Each structure stands twice: as C-alpha cells, then as structure tokens.
Amino acid sequence: NWINHEALKDHAIVGIQRKLEDVTQHRFEENNFEYMQVLRYAEGQKYDHHLDYFPPHGQKAHGHRVLTVFLYLNDVEEGGETHFRDLVGEDGAGSAEGIAISPKAGRMVTWPSVLNEAPNDKDRRTFHGSLPVKKGIKYGANAWIHQRDYRTPKRICKY
C-alpha cells in the first residue's frame, strides 16, 4: 500500500523524513520523496533481488532515485532479512554471500541507487532483495528520494 498525499502531512511521516536528514546529515527537499510504501510479508514471502535504479527515470523531470530508505516496523521471529549480495562492510563484515540486515523494529537502512561521482549511473553494489520470512510477519516501509522534485506534476516538451 502507498501512503497518499494527505497522509504525508502526518507527524510520524514528517518525523521519518527529518530522522533521515539527521542520519545522512543532508537536507532533502520534501517534494523529492516518492510517496512512502508500506509492506507486509507473510511467512514464505520474499522480494527478489533487484536494483532501485530505473533507466527511464533519467529522462523524466524528477531524475533518478538517488537514495532508498527502508524502515523495519516490527521484529520478525525468523528470516525476512534485507540481503545485499555484493556488499562487504567496511570492517570486513559480510562474506562471499554479501550482507543481510535482520528486521528489528525501529531500524532504518539506507542505500544509494546511483554513484556519487556519476549521479546518472547506477550503483551496482546495491543489488538487494528481501529474503523469505520463515516465522512471523514482516512489516516495513520504504521511500525513495529523487534528484529533483517528484511530486509536482510536470510536462516535458520535446522540440
């Protein structure tokens, strides 16, 4: 389910955006956020590995997704990790199988979709997916931040 425009004025949603700014030490324009999506995974459900980069976004006025934000809304009894196949932590954490983040209530994970040095190029390191929930239910919420204003309707004229 997507959180609609009116709900975005909700104190909790605005608080999430402000917390992201605190963590990243960067001020994001509110209109650069896509509408937040709330997710529910039952036992056995997963989301296949993918990138949050979509080439057609580069041709739109809002530009590419530059950052993904994922919030874990509950603890999951077993499974449901967010798995980054190609990442290894700065401290060497992770393995040939990558890094898996366990879902814990209040935890927030962020990752880039594009490269800092080339903001129109995808960051292949962030190929990720949700591993199957083995026991319990997983609730989460994600949002994506674009290069430019995502929410204001626009028309691009091609001459």
Side-chain angles (χ1 to χ4, degrees):
N1 290 334
W2 297 91
I3 297 177
N4 68 27
H5 181 72
E6 287 303 313
L8 289 169
K9 298 174 187 169
D10 182 87
H11 177 71
I13 301 298
V14 172
I16 290 167
Q17 291 175 337
R18 295 296 109 21
K19 180 67 174 173
L20 175 63
E21 291 174 352
D22 290 346
V23 169
T24 62
Q25 297 181 352
H26 182 81
R27 169 80 174 101
F28 296 101
E29 293 298 323
E30 189 173 313
N31 282 346
N32 289 26
F33 281 79
E34 281 187 42
Y35 301 112
M36 192 169 286
Q37 181 184 44
V38 177
L39 307 164
R40 179 186 185 274
Y41 294 89
E43 288 183 14
Q45 289 186 315
K46 64 181 180 73
Y47 200 93
D48 290 336
H49 284 74
H50 62 283
L51 291 170
D52 291 338
Y53 177 95
F54 297 105
H57 283 179
Q59 303 303 314
K60 297 188 180 218
H62 55 67
H64 292 289
R65 290 174 170 172
V66 293
L67 192 65
T68 297
V69 181
F70 192 87
L71 302 155
Y72 299 96
L73 303 178
N74 69 315
D75 292 343
V76 177
E77 291 181 62
E78 186 180 355
E81 298 89 353
T82 301
H83 179 244
F84 292 88
R85 183 188 71 184
D86 301 328
L87 287 183
V88 175
E90 288 181 13
D91 61 356
S95 66
E97 291 83 35
I99 295 175
I101 294 109
S102 298
K104 301 288 180 196
R107 185 173 278 173
M108 178 176 74
V109 181
T110 63
W111 60 89
S113 295
V114 297
L115 299 170
N116 281 345
E117 64 279 5
N120 290 312
D121 293 345
K122 66 180 131 190
D123 189 339
R124 295 177 189 276
R125 298 170 301 168
T126 58
F127 190 71
H128 66 284
S130 176
L131 299 180
V133 173
K134 295 178 181 175
K135 188 174 182 184
I137 295 176
K138 175 183 174 181
Y139 290 98
N142 57 11
W144 299 275
I145 303 167
H146 284 263
Q147 292 169 320
R148 296 176 290 279
D149 185 347
Y150 179 84
R151 296 185 188 167
T152 305
K154 294 173 206 57
R155 291 181 61 144
I156 296 179
C157 297
K158 293 185 180 183
Y159 298 98

